[in-house]
Amino acid sequence: MRQIVYTSENIYKTSVKHSLLLILLVVLLSSCSVTKKLPAGESLYTGATVKVVADSAINKSEVKNIQAQLTEFVKPKPNANLFGFPYKVWFYYLFGEPKNEKGFKSFFRKRFGEPPILASKSVTAANVKQINLLLNNEGYFRSFAKGDLIEKNRKSTAVYTATLHQRYYLDSVSFSPQDTSILGKAFTNAKQNSLLQKGSPYRFDLISGERIRIDNILKKRGFYYFQPDFIIVKADSSVGNHKVNLSVEIKPTTSQVARKNYRIRDVHVLADYGEKIFADSAKKDQEIVFNGIRVNDKTQSYNPKIFSQAIAFRRGGRYSSNIQDISLSRLINLNGNFKFVKNTFELVPRSDSALLDVFYYLTPLKAKSFQADINGVTKSNNFTGTNLSLSWLNKNTFKGAELFKITATAGLEFQVGGISQTLGKINTSRYSIEGTLAIPRFTIPFFTINPQRNQALPKTNISVGYEVLKRGDLYSLTSLKSSMGYAWKQNSMVEHSFTPISINLVKGDFSFEFGEEIFRSDNPIAILKTLDNTLIMSSNYNISYTPTPKPQSKHLFRFTGGIEVAGNFANLLSKIGSSGSSNTLVGVSYAQYARLDGDLRYTYNINKSLQIANRFVVGYGLPYGNSNTLPYLKQYSVGGNNSIRAFAARSIGPGEYFSSGEVNSVVLGSQTGDIKLELNTELRAKFTKYINGAFFIDAGNVWIHHFEEDYGATSIFGSDFYKQVAIGTGVGLRLDFSYLVLRFDLATPVHKPYLPEGERWVLKNFDLKDSQWRSENLVLNIAVGYPF
């Protein structure tokens, strides 16, 4: 006989077991009280069980998939429960029937309860019919199901048994338009990239998708009145060996109107279409014809040229749904000028007509507006504060839908913790003013957009800004910046931006007392570089690629990348302005570097409630000529609530370097580098409609190119870089309200690269009971939105 020794741990476990038994007893008693309140003769529906009896030729994984599919398919879903207890039904009956709609009982019932789902034989019979239809639509011909309700103690479970026969597969697919007209030829050409392929299983949803795909192709080729219902797919399963032949055809009853290929006659734009204006009367008003577009603009608020650029249809051109979508997208996104955009097509009234008139009805918004924004911020370096922004906008500055915006911002941050004994409490103020002009076209004459490819109008963006940052009486930074660039969308998947000129002049100043603190710190040279006067004259190009996922695909990709080159033009100007070589321009040292950036994101949807999200970030900066390192504003950093969440922002690296100084950790945060590697992985789970959870792992660091005395040799990127990667892990809670996501991520370090080798893996020291360990290793990140 095995002997059990009762220790305090045994007693604790025993008491827990007794508590659980008590809770289960309460749940069972409460459950009984729920069923007693059901209507007479009714029972509570508790869910469904699906059994599959399959032919021996069907493999187990296929049977398992069908069983899971049928289990998800049957309706209704039972009431929400906790350990089998229908708590929401219990809440529903808790206070009895409400006497009026506005009382507390009614509020409580609607807010916290839900009416009981009652078992029904008619619903079970309807489910059997739907299961039979589903099996047939999935290619399991001659398969069938039966169902029954099993009741016990006024609780009923639906039991379905599906008899599954072998699945049918496609043996051949033919396109037979039975028509030699333009429609017939277009229909035959549409067989390329068909969803129906030989050897694939028969599935009705693929057949429906194929009809929609063909319809989309035909509409892009001018067949405006064609519909998916005009396509019939005939199936012949008599070929044997569980094979089926498909014939895709145009229905003989398809009307002549649907068979015609249409062209455009006139394009009309009503630029000030309000609710009180009727279309028929508006068409008769005087129109201005510009580049084939008939524009009706009573208030003369817009230059007709913008409609010619936005609308791709022209007189005599062929109708295309692709051009229709592009034109609508451009008008809707014309710097927010229009509240509503309506598009209609009218058949020209002739007996043999194959012509369409196009009408665009535009309801403008007010051109000028004023905005005020206020927000709060909490940072990992113990600063918290608020920002106030005031903006004035003109959405139609020069009658060409140009958006001019001027924004003034004031912000204050207060130190609420980690106050320095030598520097004292530090408060921060930030003031800025910025003007931007977004022009919905290229301001260069040699480039024209392709209406077949460019989903949105290109934009020319011009900006000028000035900013002042003050950290108490310690130091100040002023920045004067200006840029001009272009942004355009190649198609629905690819976006580009090119900024040929960007100028940023940064000047720093610090007090004598702060200077003494800098030279007492462990990295004075690095800190002084953050306060250097620097001129950055650069050009950059960025691309974003987001491929459209295939139907029912579980994979989502996104890539953004960019290249930036700085200092070459400044170097040329400095040589022109001086007799010999010069490292300055207008008395300020200019930066020279090249920077490459890449951000790859991949998400795999395991099921509707579970997904794995991944991000890989790489950054490589190469200083040259006038620079030994990248300027501080362009250097990379890791840590914080959108990076490696187990470490504070700018508190890792470069390499094995670690700074415990107050100047660096509290005031500046100068732990930056020229090279960056970062990898993030999250397992995201959807608990309810609004509550999501996550388990995450973050890893990464930054490094420098050349030896710097402050950082040491272990900060240089080398063959041992993998030993210097910081790793953190944690769990997260997200409140997702669609328009707003509140995120709470609790993280702890796993690998600290700044510790001596052999001591860097710190998860072994995990101890929630130790208050000192918690204060040093638990990091709570509170943020808005997902980290990536």
Side-chain angles (χ1 to χ4, degrees), residues 647-665:
F647 300 86
R650 298 177 182 265
S651 65
I652 309 172
E656 298 178 9
Y657 175 77
F658 176 74
S659 174
S660 58
E662 294 174 337
V663 173
N664 181 65
S665 61

Side-chain angles (χ1 to χ4, degrees), residues 352-369:
D352 60 341
S353 176
L355 296 174
L356 297 171
D357 282 340
V358 190
F359 295 90
Y360 292 93
Y361 306 101
L362 312 178
T363 304
L365 285 166
K366 289 183 179 180
K368 299 175 182 178
S369 61

Side-chain angles (χ1 to χ4, degrees), residues 180-466:
T180 58
S181 64
I182 297 176
L183 174 62
K185 293 178 181 178
F187 184 86
T188 303
N189 292 335
K191 66 182 180 181
Q192 295 181 6
N193 301 317
S194 172
L195 301 178
L196 306 174
Q197 297 293 331
K198 180 179 179 179
S200 60
Y202 175 95
R203 291 176 58 189
F204 182 76
D205 60 343
L206 282 183
I207 292 175
S208 299
E210 179 68 2
R211 294 168 70 193
I212 294 172
R213 187 190 70 86
I214 295 172
D215 175 66
N216 289 335
I217 291 175
L218 294 178
K219 279 190 166 63
K220 289 179 181 179
R221 297 178 180 176
F223 298 94
Y224 176 74
Y225 287 103
F226 199 87
Q227 298 293 332
D229 290 341
F230 299 155
I231 300 172
I232 185 172
V233 180
K234 296 179 180 179
D236 180 11
S237 60
S238 62
V239 293
N241 197 26
H242 297 92
K243 302 287 185 180
V244 60
N245 293 334
L246 296 183
S247 176
V248 186
E249 304 173 5
I250 299 174
K251 290 181 180 179
T253 56
T254 302
S255 68
Q256 288 301 314
V257 173
R259 291 176 181 269
K260 288 182 180 179
N261 191 265
Y262 289 88
R263 292 189 174 270
I264 305 302
R265 187 180 71 168
D266 291 325
V267 181
H268 302 264
V269 176
L270 283 72
D272 190 14
Y273 179 72
E275 295 180 359
K276 296 181 179 179
I277 301 177
F278 294 95
D280 291 336
S281 62
K283 295 175 197 174
K284 297 176 183 179
D285 292 339
Q286 186 176 0
E287 295 176 325
I288 298 173
V289 180
F290 183 88
N291 200 14
I293 308 291
R294 297 179 175 272
V295 181
N296 185 313
D297 185 7
K298 286 184 177 181
T299 59
Q300 297 183 349
S301 299
Y302 298 97
N303 187 332
K305 183 178 180 180
I306 66 169
F307 302 118
S308 173
Q309 293 172 336
I311 299 170
F313 285 119
R314 291 295 184 270
R315 185 181 179 90
R318 188 173 66 178
Y319 166 81
S320 169
S321 60
N322 187 47
I323 294 179
Q324 179 185 357
D325 294 341
I326 287 173
S327 301
L328 278 174
S329 175
R330 291 174 183 168
L331 289 170
I332 291 169
N333 295 292
L334 204 58
N335 280 334
N337 268 262
F338 301 107
K339 184 178 182 181
F340 301 112
V341 177
K342 181 182 177 183
N343 178 213
T344 63
F345 293 83
E346 293 185 8
L347 181 65
V348 175
R350 286 193 336 220
S351 59
D352 60 341
S353 176
L355 296 174
L356 297 171
D357 282 340
V358 190
F359 295 90
Y360 292 93
Y361 306 101
L362 312 178
T363 304
L365 285 166
K366 289 183 179 180
K368 299 175 182 178
S369 61
F370 180 80
Q371 293 179 351
D373 296 309
I374 187 168
N375 60 69
V377 60
T378 299
K379 297 183 177 180
S380 56
N381 59 354
N382 295 311
F383 280 85
T384 186
T386 184
N387 290 300
L388 173 65
S389 295
L390 302 177
S391 302
W392 181 82
L393 298 86
N394 188 341
K395 299 178 181 178
N396 192 27
T397 307
F398 306 113
K399 294 190 175 183
E402 301 92 353
L403 173 61
F404 176 69
K405 182 179 181 181
I406 185 166
T407 303
T409 302
L412 294 174
E413 294 177 7
F414 305 96
Q415 191 175 9
V416 294
I419 298 174
S420 169
Q421 295 180 354
T422 56
L423 299 176
K425 190 174 183 180
I426 305 167
N427 296 328
T428 302
S429 60
R430 186 190 303 267
Y431 309 96
S432 67
I433 185 167
E434 182 180 30
T436 60
L437 179 64
I439 305 170
R441 54 192 168 275
F442 281 118
T443 55
I444 44 180
F446 54 82
F447 189 92
T448 57
I449 62 172
N450 186 333
Q452 301 290 337
R453 296 182 180 180
N454 298 92
Q455 188 72 19
L457 285 173
K459 287 186 179 181
T460 300
N461 298 307
I462 303 170
S463 68
V464 178
Y466 179 75

Side-chain angles (χ1 to χ4, degrees), residues 390-623:
L390 302 177
S391 302
W392 181 82
L393 298 86
N394 188 341
K395 299 178 181 178
N396 192 27
T397 307
F398 306 113
K399 294 190 175 183
E402 301 92 353
L403 173 61
F404 176 69
K405 182 179 181 181
I406 185 166
T407 303
T409 302
L412 294 174
E413 294 177 7
F414 305 96
Q415 191 175 9
V416 294
I419 298 174
S420 169
Q421 295 180 354
T422 56
L423 299 176
K425 190 174 183 180
I426 305 167
N427 296 328
T428 302
S429 60
R430 186 190 303 267
Y431 309 96
S432 67
I433 185 167
E434 182 180 30
T436 60
L437 179 64
I439 305 170
R441 54 192 168 275
F442 281 118
T443 55
I444 44 180
F446 54 82
F447 189 92
T448 57
I449 62 172
N450 186 333
Q452 301 290 337
R453 296 182 180 180
N454 298 92
Q455 188 72 19
L457 285 173
K459 287 186 179 181
T460 300
N461 298 307
I462 303 170
S463 68
V464 178
Y466 179 75
E467 182 178 11
V468 178
L469 170 69
K470 290 186 176 182
R471 290 273 194 196
D473 296 326
L474 302 179
Y475 73 91
S476 65
L477 286 171
T478 59
S479 172
L480 178 63
K481 54 187 177 181
S482 179
S483 67
M484 179 178 178
Y486 307 99
W488 68 99
K489 202 169 186 178
Q490 180 176 329
N491 50 47
S492 60
M493 298 185 292
V494 182
E495 294 184 39
H496 307 267
S497 69
F498 173 57
T499 304
I501 182 66
S502 175
I503 303 172
N504 193 354
L505 175 61
V506 181
K507 288 194 173 185
D509 190 19
F510 54 89
S511 66
F512 178 78
E513 293 78 12
F514 188 57
E516 291 182 327
E517 290 296 326
I518 291 175
F519 286 105
R520 280 197 291 264
S521 67
D522 55 1
N523 59 340
I525 298 176
I527 293 175
L528 286 173
K529 284 183 179 180
T530 66
L531 299 172
D532 266 352
N533 296 342
T534 307
L535 175 64
I536 304 173
M537 296 182 66
S538 65
S539 301
N540 64 74
Y541 166 77
N542 293 284
I543 185 172
S544 173
Y545 173 61
T546 309
T548 304
K550 295 180 180 180
Q552 298 181 338
S553 173
K554 296 184 176 182
H555 308 276
L556 295 173
F557 292 92
R558 185 186 178 191
F559 171 76
T560 56
I563 181 172
E564 181 180 13
V565 179
N568 295 340
F569 186 57
N571 183 51
L572 178 63
L573 292 177
S574 69
K575 290 181 178 179
I576 294 174
S578 62
S579 56
S581 63
S582 175
N583 295 331
T584 63
L585 185 66
V586 295
V588 179
S589 176
Y590 57 87
Q592 282 187 285
Y593 62 87
R595 218 176 89 143
L596 291 170
D597 295 280
D599 184 321
L600 177 64
R601 304 184 184 194
Y602 166 66
T603 301
Y604 177 73
N605 295 309
I606 300 172
N607 53 46
K608 291 182 179 180
S609 302
L610 203 62
Q611 67 174 202
I612 298 176
N614 307 275
R615 176 180 65 177
F616 177 63
V617 180
V618 58
Y620 182 83
L622 179 64

